[in-house]
Amino acid sequence: MSTDRTTRRKVEAGLPRRRRKEARFKVLGMLATAVGILFLGVFFASLIGKGASAFKQTYLQLEIELSETVLAPDGELDLAFADFEGLVRASLRRELPDVTGRQDRRELYRIVSIGAGYQLRDLVAGNPELLGTTQSLWVPASSNIDMLIKGNIDASLAEALRPVSDKQIAWVEFFREAGRLETRFNSALFSNGDSREPELAGIKGAVMGSLYMLMVTMVLSFPIGVAAAIYLEEFAPRNRWSDLIEVNINNLAAVPSIVFGLLGLAVFINWAALPRSAPLVGGLVLTLLTLPVIIIASRAAIKAVPPSIREAALGLGASQTQVVFHHVLPLAMPGMLTGAIIGMSRALGESAPLLMIGMVAFIVDVPGSLTDPATALPVQIFLWADSPERAFAERTSAAIIVLLGFLLVMNLTAVILRKRMERKW
Amino acid sequence: MVTSEGMSTVTEIPERRTELTGETVGNIRSDHPFMVAEDVNVYYGDNHAIQHVSLEIGKKEVIALIGPSGCGKSTFLRCLNRMNDTIETARVTGNITLDGKDIYRKEQDPVALRARVGMVFQKPNPFPKSIYDNVAYGPRIHGLAADRAELDNIVHSSLERAGLINEVKDRLDEPGTSLSGGQQQRLCIARTIAVNPEVILMDEPCSALDPLATARIEDLMDELCEDYAIVIVTHSMQQAARVSKRVAYFHLGLLVEVDETDKIFTNPRHKLTEDYITGRIG
């Protein structure tokens, strides 16, 4: 009886201390979570705050006379040499007739993007019958004007300290008051390749490059990775060699990605003589990078298949191959796909190995095949972040938002696939 | 215990052995031997799990393997359809013949063997597929049915013989895992007999089931032994007494005693057997 009571007393004496410890741990856990969420919040807020404006672009409305005498002085229209830029300039001169003098006029021309000329050319190329008419067109403003309108250039600064002159501000004001200045959805961001002019630069080239690369990576690394995992898990004898292979695969997953880039440079470009800057080579390098991830995830998924299912099939007289393909693989597939998609997201966000194989070049054209020179989204972000123009800063953030969007979609797909395909036993 | 009641009258039998010599007492022979094990040894690495076991399994008889945990009865069972092959460290020596042919001979394909020697496991383990596909799986992989109608036929008759048809005939498309534990085990039995084996091995088939489901499975075994040889591993003495014709008692990897079921339970010839069936060890 007395021992009973001393036991209870001891337990009760210790209780407050245990409760305090638990409370302390809870607070610490909550703090850790809060710090994580705070950082994430700051990251997203700054990203969206900086990048959201890049999805809009300032446009000016101009009355442009598609004069035959300028475009086709010899009576024949040559799209490659016709002076579309001259038409835009003439239109600006007509709008603001008081601007005289070479210096002022040059400044005036700079409020409109050189993309206006390309836009005119494309218009005339598609509709030759417009030649000789006067068209009212919305053309992109230059990036400095765009920045001014979005408030990214402080007009109260001394004139020498900002890239927009007082006169340019006055001209823009003229257009704005006439209702001929608008900010619209920046479709160029999604339909153009890279450009030196921020207002013309888009991510389409980089997105296509990334997609081509991921296609190569998916097509190669998923079957190879799954096949390797099945062999190692189900067929390979357990001995020193398989241990060695296992250790090496686990180590490969931790190798810095730039090393894979060097390997790709040495093997695919130097030795196999594949083209530089090509998504094909990028995809091959990313395949090397994601293979260990997929193998490890697939092996874990295979290991998670309950042995009772294997035994049931073996007991019925299924061969090892039938056990694998009829039972193990279907049950392990959700885990394998999740692993593959996580590997793919890692590959999509990878830039270092691509630098080594020349995918860091300035490439304007949108790649149309696996061997066309291309760049990738993360590399495009790196290139834009490196550019001095003010307008590239917001485009960098916008490209990061798009990249994160892709990653989000991929990871969501992984979650949904797993939920859908999960089977109970 | 039901069987321990009669024990007191037989304890004075003079020929009772007490020492564990490795020699099997009783009668290892069967009247109609179908599977014959001669001097079987199993090693898991350095562990000598089964030592010098010889046993005949007769046609159309139920033989129960009993013994305390870790005595090697499941290991012996798994030698009979070469399931031990899947364990990399396991090594089997000695002879096991099925209908006169060595099942460990080089030309013997374990896949073909397992089609003749089916197995039902301790935990019901239906595939995560429909009830129909569970039963149809064996016939499908072995190509037993020429067309869909024949396959339907096999599935229905197997479910019928497993006593499950009335419960599932309207829900053959539902997953096998949606059934209750006892139904799942009968589904596993249906799946095994769908291949039409000659021997059925059962590794504690009722240990995860309630008494009612157990009774159903035992009834089923009574019917099945008219066509198949059944080897059952069980921890339940009553079950062994109810279903089996012969009983083999294993102890520490040795086959201690084999005999007719009533002889074992009324007049065990070895002290260890007696201790086990009276509940003193195990």
Side-chain angles (χ1 to χ4, degrees), chain B residues 35 67 103 111 123 140 155 177 199 211 218 241 245 261 273 281:
Chain B
M35 274 197 109
I103 62 169
V111 167
K123 218 181 120 219
R140 271 188 185 136
V155 170
T177 43
V199 181
E218 287 178 2
K245 189 164 162 256
T261 304
T273 316
I281 52 168

Side-chain angles (χ1 to χ4, degrees), chain B residues 14-280:
Chain B
E15 54 196 313
R16 177 136 321 143
R17 303 273 282 270
T18 52
E19 68 279 21
L20 190 59
T21 57
E23 203 181 319
T24 308
V25 297
N27 181 16
I28 60 164
R29 305 284 162 210
S30 160
D31 302 337
H32 311 281
F34 189 58
M35 274 197 109
V36 179
E38 292 279 0
D39 194 26
V40 172
N41 289 279
V42 180
Y43 304 84
Y44 291 128
D46 294 333
N47 176 18
H48 198 171
I50 286 193
Q51 304 170 20
H52 309 290
V53 169
S54 299
L55 181 64
E56 287 184 355
I57 294 155
K59 234 173 222 170
K60 303 183 183 180
E61 77 169 9
V62 180
I63 179 164
L65 312 184
I66 60 170
S69 296
C71 67
K73 53 195 190 303
S74 287
T75 301
F76 179 70
L77 189 77
R78 294 167 72 94
C79 290
L80 299 178
N81 68 344
R82 290 183 61 174
M83 281 296 270
N84 282 333
D85 288 17
T86 56
I87 302 166
E88 222 154 309
T89 55
R91 200 157 52 82
V92 181
T93 67
N95 261 319
I96 301 177
T97 59
L98 174 65
D99 215 2
K101 289 208 163 167
D102 184 3
I103 62 169
Y104 278 90
R105 69 184 190 277
K106 254 214 179 99
E107 317 86 76
Q108 175 68 60
D109 187 344
V111 167
L113 172 69
R114 290 178 198 141
R116 296 178 67 189
V117 183
M119 191 159 190
V120 177
F121 296 84
Q122 180 172 4
K123 218 181 120 219
N125 54 356
F127 300 127
K129 299 172 187 269
S130 73
I131 293 170
Y132 184 95
D133 286 338
N134 261 286
V135 183
Y137 183 69
R140 271 188 185 136
I141 56 172
H142 296 301
L144 300 185
D147 51 27
R148 178 77 193 200
E150 201 180 339
L151 190 62
D152 284 349
N153 215 359
I154 293 175
V155 170
H156 274 268
S157 63
S158 303
L159 285 169
E160 199 173 351
R161 300 191 63 187
L164 195 60
I165 190 74
N166 289 331
E167 289 149 80
V168 301
K169 63 170 178 267
D170 301 322
R171 42 191 282 217
L172 289 176
D173 294 332
E174 283 178 35
T177 43
S178 68
L179 299 171
S180 73
Q183 289 174 325
Q184 286 190 15
Q185 195 61 302
R186 275 180 283 144
L187 176 63
C188 292
I189 292 174
R191 183 175 67 184
T192 305
I193 57 184
V195 184
N196 200 20
E198 292 150 75
V199 181
I200 300 178
L201 310 177
M202 295 187 170
D203 192 355
E204 297 179 41
C206 302
S207 64
L209 304 183
D210 67 33
L212 282 174
T214 302
R216 294 219 53 170
I217 303 242
E218 287 178 2
D219 289 346
L220 185 56
M221 278 193 268
D222 278 344
E223 289 163 31
L224 292 177
C225 74
E226 286 166 20
D227 301 295
Y228 309 102
I230 297 179
V231 186
I232 175 173
V233 167
T234 178
H235 271 137
S236 155
M237 246 75 69
Q238 294 95 318
Q239 184 168 57
R242 281 193 298 262
V243 301
S244 67
K245 189 164 162 256
R246 292 164 70 222
V247 171
Y249 175 66
F250 283 75
H251 193 95
L252 294 175
L254 297 167
L255 178 53
V256 174
E257 182 166 355
V258 188
D259 224 320
E260 305 284 317
T261 304
D262 6 327
K263 278 194 190 162
I264 288 274
F265 282 111
T266 55
N267 185 12
R269 307 255 296 273
H270 200 290
K271 182 81 169 55
L272 284 167
T273 316
E274 189 204 0
D275 285 351
Y276 182 71
I277 59 180
T278 53
R280 253 171 275 166

Side-chain angles (χ1 to χ4, degrees), chain A residues 346-367:
Chain A
R346 188 183 159 195
L348 178 64
E350 205 52 78
S351 55
L354 305 181
L355 306 184
M356 305 304 301
I357 55 162
M359 294 192 77
V360 68
F362 171 71
I363 291 152
V364 176
D365 292 322
V366 176

Side-chain angles (χ1 to χ4, degrees), chain A residues 30-46:
Chain A
M30 263 153 42
L31 270 178
T33 315
V35 168
I37 290 177
L38 182 77
F39 276 121
L40 203 67
V42 167
F43 171 65
F44 275 112
S46 100

